[in-house]
Amino acid sequence: MGKAEEATPLFEEMLQGRRETLGDRNEDTLTSISILARLLEDQGKLGEAIPLYMEALEGSVLLNGMEGELTRRAAERLVSNLRKVGQRKKAKALADKHGLVGS
């Protein structure tokens, strides 16, 4: 609602709490990582968002496997953002690895 910058510190705090209580590879923690990455992306802070998207993808692969829907969505988001910052080779390699045809 136009308050992404105000919400970001709250989500950072929530993520830290989830990391401490649930661990880094918990589904709720990974969801929080993805939400924070999306907030940063919406603010144009792709340099901060991309590592979070990578972490969310790696965690999703561990929890859900390469074929999981959450893994696919995380990969699609990361590929899109890598392209936005001009990392086309890395984006293509990731898209190929995750079978994202036409991505």
Coordinates of all heavy atoms in Angstrom, one line a residue:
M1 N 0.8 -1.2 0.0 CA 0.0 0.0 0.0 C 0.9 1.3 0.0 O 0.5 2.2 0.6 CB -0.9 0.0 1.2 CG -1.8 -1.2 1.4 SD -3.2 -1.0 0.5 CE -3.9 -2.6 0.7
G2 N 2.0 1.2 -0.7 CA 2.8 2.3 -0.8 C 3.7 2.6 0.5 O 4.3 3.6 0.6
K3 N 3.8 1.6 1.3 CA 4.5 1.7 2.6 C 5.6 0.7 2.7 O 6.0 0.3 3.8 CB 3.6 1.6 3.8 CG 2.4 2.5 3.8 CD 2.7 3.8 4.5 CE 1.4 4.6 4.6 NZ 1.7 5.8 5.2
A4 N 6.2 0.3 1.6 CA 7.2 -0.8 1.6 C 8.4 -0.4 2.4 O 8.9 -1.2 3.1 CB 7.6 -1.1 0.1
E5 N 8.8 0.9 2.3 CA 10.0 1.3 3.0 C 9.7 1.2 4.6 O 10.6 0.9 5.3 CB 10.5 2.7 2.6 CG 11.1 2.7 1.3 CD 11.7 4.0 0.8 OE1 12.1 4.8 1.7 OE2 11.7 4.2 -0.4
E6 N 8.5 1.6 5.0 CA 8.2 1.5 6.4 C 8.0 0.1 6.9 O 8.4 -0.2 8.0 CB 6.9 2.3 6.6 CG 7.0 3.8 6.4 CD 5.7 4.5 6.6 OE1 4.8 4.0 7.3 OE2 5.5 5.5 5.9
A7 N 7.6 -0.8 6.0 CA 7.3 -2.2 6.4 C 8.6 -3.0 6.4 O 8.7 -4.0 7.2 CB 6.4 -2.8 5.4
T8 N 9.6 -2.6 5.7 CA 10.9 -3.4 5.6 C 11.5 -3.7 6.9 O 11.8 -4.8 7.2 CB 11.9 -2.7 4.6 OG1 11.2 -2.6 3.3 CG2 13.1 -3.5 4.5
P9 N 11.7 -2.7 7.8 CA 12.3 -3.0 9.1 C 11.5 -4.0 9.9 O 12.0 -4.9 10.6 CB 12.4 -1.7 9.8 CG 12.3 -0.6 8.8 CD 11.5 -1.3 7.7
L10 N 10.2 -3.9 9.8 CA 9.3 -4.9 10.5 C 9.5 -6.3 10.0 O 9.6 -7.3 10.8 CB 7.9 -4.4 10.4 CG 7.5 -3.1 10.9 CD1 6.1 -2.7 10.6 CD2 7.8 -3.0 12.4
F11 N 9.6 -6.4 8.7 CA 9.8 -7.8 8.1 C 11.2 -8.3 8.4 O 11.4 -9.5 8.6 CB 9.5 -7.8 6.6 CG 8.1 -7.9 6.3 CD1 7.3 -6.8 6.1 CD2 7.5 -9.2 6.2 CE1 5.9 -7.0 5.8 CE2 6.1 -9.3 6.0 CZ 5.3 -8.2 5.8
E12 N 12.2 -7.4 8.4 CA 13.5 -7.8 8.8 C 13.6 -8.4 10.2 O 14.2 -9.4 10.5 CB 14.5 -6.6 8.7 CG 14.8 -6.3 7.3 CD 15.6 -5.0 7.1 OE1 15.6 -4.2 8.1 OE2 16.2 -4.8 6.0
E13 N 12.8 -7.7 11.1 CA 12.7 -8.1 12.5 C 12.0 -9.5 12.6 O 12.4 -10.4 13.3 CB 12.0 -7.1 13.3 CG 12.0 -7.4 14.8 CD 11.3 -6.2 15.6 OE1 11.5 -5.1 15.2 OE2 10.7 -6.6 16.6
M14 N 10.9 -9.6 11.9 CA 10.2 -10.9 11.9 C 11.0 -12.0 11.3 O 11.1 -13.1 11.9 CB 8.9 -10.7 11.0 CG 8.1 -12.0 11.0 SD 6.6 -11.9 9.9 CE 7.3 -11.6 8.3
L15 N 11.8 -11.7 10.3 CA 12.7 -12.8 9.7 C 13.7 -13.2 10.7 O 14.0 -14.4 10.9 CB 13.3 -12.3 8.4 CG 14.4 -13.2 7.8 CD1 13.8 -14.6 7.5 CD2 14.9 -12.5 6.5
Q16 N 14.3 -12.2 11.4 CA 15.3 -12.6 12.4 C 14.7 -13.4 13.5 O 15.4 -14.4 13.9 CB 15.9 -11.3 13.0 CG 17.1 -11.6 14.0 CD 18.2 -12.3 13.3 OE1 18.5 -12.1 12.2 NE2 18.9 -13.1 14.1
G17 N 13.5 -13.1 13.9 CA 12.9 -13.9 14.9 C 12.6 -15.4 14.4 O 12.8 -16.3 15.2
R18 N 12.2 -15.5 13.2 CA 11.9 -16.8 12.6 C 13.2 -17.6 12.5 O 13.2 -18.8 12.7 CB 11.2 -16.7 11.3 CG 9.7 -16.3 11.5 CD 8.9 -16.5 10.3 NE 7.5 -16.4 10.7 CZ 6.5 -16.3 9.9 NH1 6.7 -16.3 8.6 NH2 5.3 -16.2 10.3
R19 N 14.3 -16.9 12.1 CA 15.6 -17.6 11.9 C 16.0 -18.2 13.3 O 16.5 -19.3 13.4 CB 16.6 -16.7 11.4 CG 16.6 -16.3 10.0 CD 17.8 -15.5 9.6 NE 17.7 -14.9 8.3 CZ 18.0 -15.4 7.1 NH1 18.4 -16.7 7.1 NH2 18.0 -14.8 6.0
E20 N 15.8 -17.3 14.4 CA 16.2 -17.8 15.7 C 15.4 -18.9 16.3 O 15.9 -19.8 16.9 CB 16.2 -16.5 16.6 CG 17.3 -15.5 16.3 CD 17.2 -14.2 17.1 OE1 16.3 -14.1 18.0 OE2 18.0 -13.3 16.8
T21 N 14.1 -18.8 16.0 CA 13.2 -19.8 16.6 C 13.0 -21.0 15.8 O 12.8 -22.1 16.3 CB 11.8 -19.2 17.0 OG1 11.2 -18.6 15.8 CG2 12.0 -18.1 18.0
L22 N 12.9 -20.9 14.5 CA 12.5 -22.0 13.6 C 13.7 -22.5 12.8 O 13.7 -23.6 12.3 CB 11.5 -21.5 12.6 CG 10.2 -21.0 13.2 CD1 9.3 -20.4 12.1 CD2 9.5 -22.1 14.0
G23 N 14.8 -21.7 12.6 CA 15.9 -22.1 11.8 C 15.8 -21.5 10.4 O 14.7 -21.1 10.0
D24 N 16.9 -21.6 9.7 CA 17.0 -21.0 8.3 C 16.2 -21.9 7.3 O 15.9 -21.3 6.2 CB 18.4 -20.9 7.9 CG 19.2 -19.8 8.7 OD1 18.5 -18.9 9.1 OD2 20.4 -19.9 8.7
R25 N 16.0 -23.1 7.5 CA 15.5 -24.0 6.5 C 14.1 -24.5 6.9 O 13.7 -25.6 6.6 CB 16.4 -25.2 6.2 CG 17.7 -24.8 5.6 CD 17.5 -24.1 4.3 NE 18.8 -23.7 3.7 CZ 19.1 -22.4 3.5 NH1 18.3 -21.5 3.7 NH2 20.3 -22.1 2.9
N26 N 13.3 -23.6 7.5 CA 11.9 -23.8 7.8 C 11.0 -23.2 6.8 O 11.4 -22.1 6.3 CB 11.6 -23.3 9.2 CG 10.2 -23.4 9.6 OD1 9.4 -22.5 9.2 ND2 9.9 -24.4 10.4
E27 N 9.9 -23.8 6.4 CA 9.0 -23.2 5.4 C 8.6 -21.8 5.7 O 8.6 -20.9 4.9 CB 7.8 -24.1 5.2 CG 7.1 -23.9 4.0 CD 7.8 -24.3 2.7 OE1 8.3 -25.5 2.7 OE2 7.9 -23.6 1.8
D28 N 8.2 -21.5 7.0 CA 7.8 -20.2 7.4 C 9.0 -19.2 7.3 O 8.8 -18.0 6.9 CB 7.3 -20.2 8.8 CG 5.9 -20.9 8.9 OD1 5.2 -21.0 7.9 OD2 5.6 -21.4 10.0
T29 N 10.2 -19.6 7.6 CA 11.3 -18.7 7.5 C 11.6 -18.4 6.0 O 11.8 -17.3 5.7 CB 12.6 -19.4 8.1 OG1 12.3 -19.7 9.5 CG2 13.8 -18.5 8.0
L30 N 11.5 -19.4 5.2 CA 11.7 -19.2 3.8 C 10.6 -18.3 3.2 O 11.0 -17.5 2.3 CB 11.7 -20.6 3.0 CG 12.9 -21.5 3.4 CD1 12.7 -22.8 2.7 CD2 14.2 -20.8 3.0
T31 N 9.4 -18.4 3.6 CA 8.4 -17.5 3.2 C 8.7 -16.1 3.6 O 8.6 -15.1 2.8 CB 7.0 -17.9 3.8 OG1 6.7 -19.2 3.3 CG2 5.9 -16.9 3.4
S32 N 9.2 -15.9 4.8 CA 9.6 -14.6 5.3 C 10.7 -14.0 4.5 O 10.8 -12.8 4.2 CB 9.9 -14.6 6.8 OG 8.8 -14.9 7.6
I33 N 11.7 -14.8 4.1 CA 12.8 -14.4 3.3 C 12.3 -13.9 1.9 O 12.7 -12.9 1.4 CB 13.8 -15.6 3.1 CG1 14.5 -15.9 4.4 CG2 14.8 -15.2 2.0 CD1 15.3 -17.2 4.4
S34 N 11.3 -14.7 1.3 CA 10.8 -14.3 0.1 C 10.0 -13.0 0.1 O 10.1 -12.1 -0.8 CB 9.9 -15.4 -0.5 OG 10.6 -16.5 -0.8
I35 N 9.2 -12.8 1.2 CA 8.5 -11.6 1.4 C 9.4 -10.4 1.5 O 9.2 -9.3 0.9 CB 7.5 -11.7 2.6 CG1 6.4 -12.7 2.3 CG2 6.9 -10.3 2.9 CD1 5.6 -13.0 3.5
L36 N 10.4 -10.5 2.3 CA 11.4 -9.4 2.5 C 12.1 -9.1 1.1 O 12.3 -8.0 0.7 CB 12.4 -9.8 3.5 CG 13.5 -8.7 3.8 CD1 12.9 -7.4 4.1 CD2 14.5 -9.2 4.9
A37 N 12.5 -10.2 0.4 CA 13.1 -10.0 -0.9 C 12.1 -9.2 -1.9 O 12.5 -8.3 -2.6 CB 13.5 -11.3 -1.5
R38 N 10.9 -9.6 -1.8 CA 9.9 -8.9 -2.7 C 9.7 -7.4 -2.3 O 9.6 -6.5 -3.1 CB 8.5 -9.6 -2.6 CG 7.4 -9.1 -3.5 CD 7.8 -9.3 -4.9 NE 6.9 -8.8 -5.8 CZ 5.9 -9.4 -6.4 NH1 5.8 -10.7 -6.3 NH2 5.1 -8.8 -7.3
L39 N 9.7 -7.1 -1.0 CA 9.6 -5.7 -0.5 C 10.8 -4.9 -1.0 O 10.7 -3.8 -1.5 CB 9.6 -5.7 1.0 CG 8.3 -5.8 1.7 CD1 8.5 -5.9 3.2 CD2 7.4 -4.7 1.4
L40 N 12.0 -5.5 -0.9 CA 13.2 -4.9 -1.4 C 13.2 -4.7 -2.9 O 13.5 -3.6 -3.5 CB 14.5 -5.6 -1.0 CG 14.7 -5.6 0.5 CD1 15.8 -6.7 0.9 CD2 15.1 -4.3 1.0
E41 N 12.7 -5.7 -3.6 CA 12.5 -5.6 -5.1 C 11.6 -4.4 -5.4 O 11.9 -3.6 -6.3 CB 12.0 -6.9 -5.6 CG 11.7 -6.9 -7.1 CD 11.1 -8.1 -7.6 OE1 11.0 -9.1 -6.9 OE2 10.6 -8.1 -8.8
D42 N 10.5 -4.3 -4.7 CA 9.5 -3.3 -5.0 C 10.1 -1.9 -4.8 O 9.6 -0.9 -5.4 CB 8.3 -3.5 -4.1 CG 7.4 -4.7 -4.6 OD1 7.6 -5.2 -5.7 OD2 6.5 -5.1 -3.8
Q43 N 11.1 -1.8 -3.9 CA 11.8 -0.5 -3.7 C 12.9 -0.3 -4.6 O 13.7 0.7 -4.5 CB 12.3 -0.5 -2.2 CG 11.2 -0.6 -1.2 CD 11.8 -0.8 0.2 OE1 12.7 0.0 0.6 NE2 11.4 -1.8 0.9
G44 N 13.1 -1.2 -5.6 CA 14.2 -1.1 -6.5 C 15.6 -1.5 -6.0 O 16.6 -1.2 -6.6
K45 N 15.6 -2.2 -4.8 CA 16.8 -2.6 -4.2 C 17.2 -4.1 -4.6 O 17.2 -5.0 -3.7 CB 16.7 -2.5 -2.7 CG 16.5 -1.0 -2.2 CD 16.3 -0.9 -0.7 CE 16.0 0.5 -0.3 NZ 15.8 0.6 1.1
L46 N 17.4 -4.3 -5.9 CA 17.7 -5.6 -6.4 C 19.0 -6.2 -5.8 O 19.1 -7.4 -5.6 CB 17.7 -5.6 -7.9 CG 16.3 -5.4 -8.5 CD1 16.4 -5.4 -10.0 CD2 15.3 -6.4 -8.1
G47 N 19.9 -5.4 -5.6 CA 21.2 -5.8 -5.0 C 21.0 -6.5 -3.7 O 21.8 -7.4 -3.3
E48 N 20.0 -6.0 -2.9 CA 19.7 -6.6 -1.6 C 18.7 -7.8 -1.7 O 18.8 -8.7 -1.0 CB 19.1 -5.5 -0.7 CG 20.1 -4.4 -0.3 CD 19.4 -3.4 0.5 OE1 18.8 -3.7 1.5 OE2 19.6 -2.2 0.2
A49 N 17.9 -7.7 -2.7 CA 16.8 -8.7 -2.9 C 17.4 -10.0 -3.5 O 17.0 -11.1 -3.0 CB 15.7 -8.2 -3.8
I50 N 18.3 -9.9 -4.4 CA 18.7 -11.1 -5.1 C 19.4 -12.1 -4.2 O 19.0 -13.3 -4.3 CB 19.7 -10.7 -6.3 CG1 18.8 -10.2 -7.4 CG2 20.5 -12.0 -6.8 CD1 19.6 -9.6 -8.6
P51 N 20.2 -11.8 -3.2 CA 20.8 -12.8 -2.3 C 19.7 -13.5 -1.5 O 19.8 -14.6 -1.2 CB 21.8 -12.0 -1.4 CG 22.1 -10.8 -2.2 CD 20.9 -10.5 -3.0
L52 N 18.7 -12.7 -1.1 CA 17.6 -13.3 -0.4 C 16.8 -14.3 -1.3 O 16.4 -15.4 -0.8 CB 16.6 -12.2 0.2 CG 17.2 -11.3 1.3 CD1 16.3 -10.2 1.6 CD2 17.5 -12.2 2.5
Y53 N 16.5 -13.9 -2.5 CA 15.9 -14.8 -3.4 C 16.7 -16.1 -3.6 O 16.2 -17.2 -3.7 CB 15.6 -14.2 -4.8 CG 14.4 -13.3 -4.8 CD1 14.5 -12.0 -5.3 CD2 13.2 -13.7 -4.4 CE1 13.4 -11.2 -5.4 CE2 12.1 -12.9 -4.5 CZ 12.2 -11.6 -5.0 OH 11.1 -10.8 -5.0
M54 N 18.0 -16.0 -3.7 CA 18.9 -17.1 -3.8 C 18.8 -18.0 -2.6 O 18.7 -19.2 -2.7 CB 20.4 -16.7 -4.0 CG 20.7 -16.1 -5.3 SD 22.4 -15.7 -5.4 CE 22.5 -15.0 -7.1
E55 N 18.8 -17.4 -1.4 CA 18.6 -18.2 -0.2 C 17.3 -18.9 -0.1 O 17.2 -20.1 0.3 CB 18.8 -17.3 1.0 CG 18.7 -18.0 2.4 CD 18.8 -17.1 3.6 OE1 19.0 -15.9 3.4 OE2 18.8 -17.7 4.7
A56 N 16.2 -18.2 -0.5 CA 14.9 -18.8 -0.5 C 14.9 -20.0 -1.5 O 14.3 -21.1 -1.2 CB 13.9 -17.8 -0.9
L57 N 15.5 -19.9 -2.6 CA 15.5 -20.9 -3.6 C 16.3 -22.1 -3.1 O 15.8 -23.3 -3.2 CB 16.1 -20.5 -4.9 CG 16.3 -21.5 -6.0 CD1 15.0 -22.2 -6.4 CD2 16.9 -20.9 -7.3
E58 N 17.5 -21.9 -2.6 CA 18.3 -23.0 -2.0 C 17.6 -23.7 -0.9 O 17.6 -25.0 -0.9 CB 19.6 -22.4 -1.5 CG 20.6 -22.0 -2.6 CD 21.7 -21.2 -2.0 OE1 21.9 -21.0 -0.8 OE2 22.5 -20.6 -2.9
G59 N 16.9 -23.0 0.0 CA 16.2 -23.6 1.1 C 15.0 -24.4 0.5 O 14.7 -25.5 1.0
S60 N 14.3 -23.9 -0.5 CA 13.2 -24.6 -1.1 C 13.6 -25.9 -1.7 O 12.9 -26.9 -1.6 CB 12.4 -23.7 -2.0 OG 11.3 -24.3 -2.5
V61 N 14.7 -25.8 -2.4 CA 15.2 -27.1 -3.0 C 15.5 -28.1 -2.0 O 15.1 -29.3 -2.1 CB 16.5 -26.8 -3.9 CG1 17.2 -28.1 -4.2 CG2 16.2 -26.0 -5.1
L62 N 16.0 -27.7 -0.9 CA 16.3 -28.7 0.2 C 15.0 -29.2 0.8 O 14.9 -30.4 1.1 CB 17.1 -28.0 1.3 CG 18.6 -27.8 1.0 CD1 19.3 -26.9 2.1 CD2 19.4 -29.0 0.7
L63 N 14.0 -28.4 1.0 CA 12.8 -28.8 1.7 C 11.8 -29.5 0.7 O 11.1 -30.4 1.1 CB 12.1 -27.6 2.3 CG 12.7 -27.0 3.6 CD1 11.9 -25.8 4.0 CD2 12.7 -28.1 4.7
N64 N 11.7 -28.9 -0.5 CA 10.6 -29.4 -1.4 C 11.1 -30.1 -2.7 O 10.3 -30.6 -3.5 CB 9.8 -28.1 -1.9 CG 9.3 -27.4 -0.7 OD1 8.6 -27.9 0.1 ND2 9.6 -26.1 -0.6
G65 N 12.5 -30.1 -2.9 CA 13.0 -30.7 -4.1 C 12.9 -29.8 -5.3 O 12.4 -28.7 -5.2
M66 N 13.6 -30.2 -6.3 CA 13.6 -29.4 -7.5 C 12.3 -29.3 -8.2 O 12.1 -28.3 -9.0 CB 14.6 -30.1 -8.5 CG 16.1 -30.0 -8.1 SD 16.7 -28.3 -8.2 CE 16.9 -28.2 -10.0
E67 N 11.4 -30.2 -8.0 CA 10.1 -30.2 -8.7 C 9.0 -29.5 -7.9 O 7.9 -29.4 -8.4 CB 9.7 -31.6 -9.0 CG 10.7 -32.4 -9.8 CD 11.0 -31.8 -11.1 OE1 10.1 -31.3 -11.8 OE2 12.2 -31.8 -11.5
G68 N 9.3 -29.1 -6.7 CA 8.2 -28.4 -5.9 C 7.7 -27.1 -6.4 O 8.5 -26.4 -7.1
E69 N 6.5 -26.8 -6.2 CA 5.9 -25.6 -6.8 C 6.6 -24.4 -6.1 O 6.8 -23.4 -6.8 CB 4.4 -25.5 -6.5 CG 3.7 -24.3 -7.0 CD 3.8 -24.1 -8.5 OE1 3.9 -25.1 -9.3 OE2 3.8 -22.9 -9.0
L70 N 6.9 -24.4 -4.9 CA 7.5 -23.3 -4.2 C 8.9 -23.1 -4.8 O 9.4 -22.0 -5.0 CB 7.6 -23.5 -2.7 CG 6.3 -23.4 -2.0 CD1 6.4 -23.7 -0.5 CD2 5.6 -22.1 -2.1
T71 N 9.6 -24.2 -5.1 CA 10.9 -24.1 -5.7 C 10.8 -23.4 -7.1 O 11.6 -22.6 -7.4 CB 11.5 -25.5 -5.8 OG1 11.6 -26.1 -4.5 CG2 12.9 -25.5 -6.5
R72 N 9.8 -23.9 -7.8 CA 9.7 -23.3 -9.2 C 9.4 -21.8 -9.1 O 10.0 -21.0 -9.9 CB 8.5 -24.0 -9.9 CG 8.3 -23.5 -11.3 CD 7.2 -24.3 -12.0 NE 7.1 -23.8 -13.4 CZ 7.9 -24.0 -14.4 NH1 8.9 -24.8 -14.2 NH2 7.6 -23.5 -15.6
R73 N 8.5 -21.4 -8.2 CA 8.2 -19.9 -8.1 C 9.5 -19.1 -7.7 O 9.7 -18.0 -8.2 CB 7.1 -19.7 -7.2 CG 5.7 -20.0 -7.8 CD 4.6 -19.6 -7.0 NE 4.3 -20.7 -6.1 CZ 3.6 -20.6 -5.0 NH1 3.2 -19.5 -4.6 NH2 3.4 -21.7 -4.2
A74 N 10.2 -19.7 -6.7 CA 11.4 -19.0 -6.3 C 12.4 -18.9 -7.4 O 13.1 -17.9 -7.6 CB 12.0 -19.8 -5.1
A75 N 12.6 -20.0 -8.2 CA 13.5 -19.9 -9.3 C 13.0 -18.9 -10.4 O 13.9 -18.1 -10.9 CB 13.6 -21.3 -10.0
E76 N 11.8 -18.8 -10.7 CA 11.2 -17.9 -11.6 C 11.5 -16.5 -11.2 O 11.9 -15.6 -12.0 CB 9.7 -18.1 -11.8 CG 9.4 -19.3 -12.6 CD 7.9 -19.6 -12.6 OE1 7.1 -19.1 -11.7 OE2 7.5 -20.5 -13.4
R77 N 11.3 -16.2 -9.9 CA 11.5 -14.8 -9.4 C 13.0 -14.5 -9.5 O 13.4 -13.4 -9.9 CB 11.1 -14.8 -7.9 CG 10.9 -13.5 -7.4 CD 9.4 -13.2 -7.7 NE 9.1 -11.9 -7.4 CZ 8.4 -11.1 -8.2 NH1 8.0 -11.5 -9.3 NH2 8.0 -9.9 -7.8
L78 N 13.9 -15.4 -9.1 CA 15.3 -15.1 -9.2 C 15.8 -14.9 -10.6 O 16.5 -14.0 -10.9 CB 16.1 -16.3 -8.5 CG 17.6 -16.1 -8.4 CD1 18.0 -14.8 -7.8 CD2 18.2 -17.3 -7.7
V79 N 15.3 -15.8 -11.5 CA 15.7 -15.6 -12.9 C 15.3 -14.2 -13.4 O 16.1 -13.5 -14.1 CB 15.1 -16.7 -13.8 CG1 15.1 -16.4 -15.3 CG2 15.7 -18.1 -13.5
S80 N 14.1 -13.8 -13.1 CA 13.6 -12.5 -13.5 C 14.5 -11.4 -13.0 O 14.8 -10.5 -13.8 CB 12.1 -12.3 -13.0 OG 11.7 -11.0 -13.3
N81 N 14.8 -11.5 -11.8 CA 15.6 -10.4 -11.2 C 17.1 -10.4 -11.7 O 17.7 -9.3 -11.8 CB 15.5 -10.5 -9.7 CG 14.2 -9.9 -9.2 OD1 14.1 -8.7 -9.2 ND2 13.3 -10.7 -8.7
L82 N 17.6 -11.6 -11.9 CA 18.9 -11.6 -12.5 C 19.0 -11.0 -13.9 O 19.9 -10.3 -14.2 CB 19.4 -13.1 -12.6 CG 19.8 -13.7 -11.2 CD1 20.0 -15.2 -11.4 CD2 21.0 -13.1 -10.6
R83 N 17.9 -11.2 -14.6 CA 17.8 -10.5 -15.9 C 17.8 -9.0 -15.8 O 18.4 -8.3 -16.6 CB 16.7 -11.0 -16.7 CG 16.9 -12.4 -17.2 CD 15.7 -12.9 -18.1 NE 16.0 -14.2 -18.6 CZ 15.1 -15.2 -18.7 NH1 13.9 -15.0 -18.3 NH2 15.5 -16.4 -19.2
K84 N 17.0 -8.6 -14.8 CA 16.8 -7.1 -14.6 C 18.2 -6.4 -14.3 O 18.4 -5.3 -14.7 CB 15.9 -6.8 -13.4 CG 14.4 -7.1 -13.8 CD 13.6 -6.9 -12.5 CE 12.1 -7.3 -12.8 NZ 11.3 -7.1 -11.6
V85 N 19.1 -7.1 -13.6 CA 20.4 -6.5 -13.3 C 21.5 -6.9 -14.3 O 22.6 -6.6 -14.1 CB 20.8 -6.9 -11.9 CG1 19.9 -6.3 -10.9 CG2 21.1 -8.4 -11.7
G86 N 21.0 -7.5 -15.5 CA 22.0 -7.8 -16.5 C 22.8 -9.0 -16.4 O 23.7 -9.2 -17.2
Q87 N 22.4 -9.9 -15.5 CA 23.1 -11.2 -15.3 C 22.4 -12.3 -16.1 O 22.0 -13.3 -15.6 CB 23.2 -11.5 -13.8 CG 24.0 -10.6 -13.0 CD 24.2 -11.0 -11.6 OE1 24.0 -12.2 -11.3 NE2 24.5 -10.0 -10.7
R88 N 22.4 -12.1 -17.5 CA 21.7 -12.9 -18.3 C 22.2 -14.4 -18.4 O 21.4 -15.3 -18.5 CB 21.6 -12.3 -19.7 CG 20.9 -11.0 -19.7 CD 20.2 -10.7 -21.1 NE 19.5 -9.5 -21.0 CZ 18.3 -9.3 -20.6 NH1 17.7 -10.4 -20.1 NH2 17.7 -8.2 -20.6
K89 N 23.5 -14.5 -18.4 CA 24.1 -15.9 -18.4 C 23.7 -16.7 -17.2 O 23.3 -17.8 -17.3 CB 25.6 -15.8 -18.6 CG 26.1 -15.4 -20.0 CD 27.6 -15.5 -20.1 CE 28.0 -15.0 -21.4 NZ 29.5 -15.0 -21.6
K90 N 23.8 -16.0 -16.1 CA 23.5 -16.7 -14.8 C 22.0 -17.0 -14.8 O 21.6 -18.1 -14.3 CB 23.8 -15.7 -13.6 CG 23.8 -16.4 -12.3 CD 24.4 -15.5 -11.2 CE 24.6 -16.2 -9.9 NZ 25.2 -15.3 -8.9
A91 N 21.1 -16.1 -15.3 CA 19.7 -16.3 -15.3 C 19.4 -17.5 -16.2 O 18.5 -18.3 -15.9 CB 19.0 -15.0 -15.8
K92 N 20.0 -17.5 -17.4 CA 19.8 -18.6 -18.3 C 20.2 -20.0 -17.7 O 19.4 -20.9 -17.8 CB 20.5 -18.4 -19.7 CG 20.2 -19.5 -20.7 CD 20.8 -19.3 -22.0 CE 20.5 -20.4 -23.0 NZ 20.0 -21.6 -22.6
A93 N 21.3 -20.0 -17.1 CA 21.8 -21.2 -16.5 C 20.8 -21.7 -15.4 O 20.5 -22.9 -15.3 CB 23.2 -21.0 -15.9
L94 N 20.3 -20.8 -14.6 CA 19.4 -21.1 -13.6 C 18.0 -21.6 -14.2 O 17.4 -22.5 -13.7 CB 19.2 -19.9 -12.6 CG 18.3 -20.1 -11.4 CD1 19.0 -21.1 -10.5 CD2 18.1 -18.8 -10.7
A95 N 17.6 -20.9 -15.2 CA 16.3 -21.3 -15.9 C 16.5 -22.7 -16.5 O 15.6 -23.5 -16.3 CB 16.0 -20.3 -17.0
D96 N 17.6 -22.9 -17.1 CA 17.8 -24.3 -17.6 C 17.9 -25.3 -16.5 O 17.2 -26.4 -16.7 CB 19.1 -24.3 -18.4 CG 19.1 -23.5 -19.7 OD1 18.0 -23.1 -20.2 OD2 20.2 -23.2 -20.3
K97 N 18.5 -25.0 -15.5 CA 18.6 -26.0 -14.4 C 17.3 -26.3 -13.8 O 17.0 -27.5 -13.4 CB 19.5 -25.4 -13.3 CG 19.7 -26.2 -12.0 CD 20.6 -25.6 -11.0 CE 20.7 -26.4 -9.8 NZ 21.6 -25.8 -8.8
H98 N 16.4 -25.4 -13.8 CA 15.1 -25.6 -13.1 C 14.0 -25.8 -14.2 O 12.8 -25.9 -13.9 CB 14.7 -24.4 -12.3 CG 15.5 -24.4 -11.0 ND1 15.1 -25.1 -9.9 CD2 16.6 -23.7 -10.7 CE1 16.0 -24.9 -8.9 NE2 17.0 -24.1 -9.4
G99 N 14.4 -26.0 -15.4 CA 13.4 -26.4 -16.5 C 12.4 -25.3 -16.7 O 11.2 -25.6 -17.0
L100 N 12.8 -24.0 -16.7 CA 11.9 -22.9 -16.9 C 11.9 -22.5 -18.4 O 12.6 -21.6 -18.8 CB 12.3 -21.7 -16.0 CG 12.4 -22.0 -14.5 CD1 12.8 -20.8 -13.8 CD2 11.0 -22.4 -14.0
V101 N 11.2 -23.3 -19.1 CA 11.1 -23.1 -20.6 C 10.4 -21.7 -20.8 O 9.3 -21.4 -20.2 CB 10.3 -24.2 -21.3 CG1 10.2 -24.0 -22.7 CG2 11.0 -25.5 -21.0
G102 N 11.0 -20.9 -21.7 CA 10.4 -19.6 -22.0 C 10.6 -18.6 -21.0 O 10.1 -17.5 -21.1
S103 N 11.4 -18.9 -19.9 CA 11.6 -17.9 -18.8 C 12.8 -17.1 -19.2 O 13.7 -17.5 -19.8 CB 11.8 -18.6 -17.5 OG 10.6 -19.1 -17.1

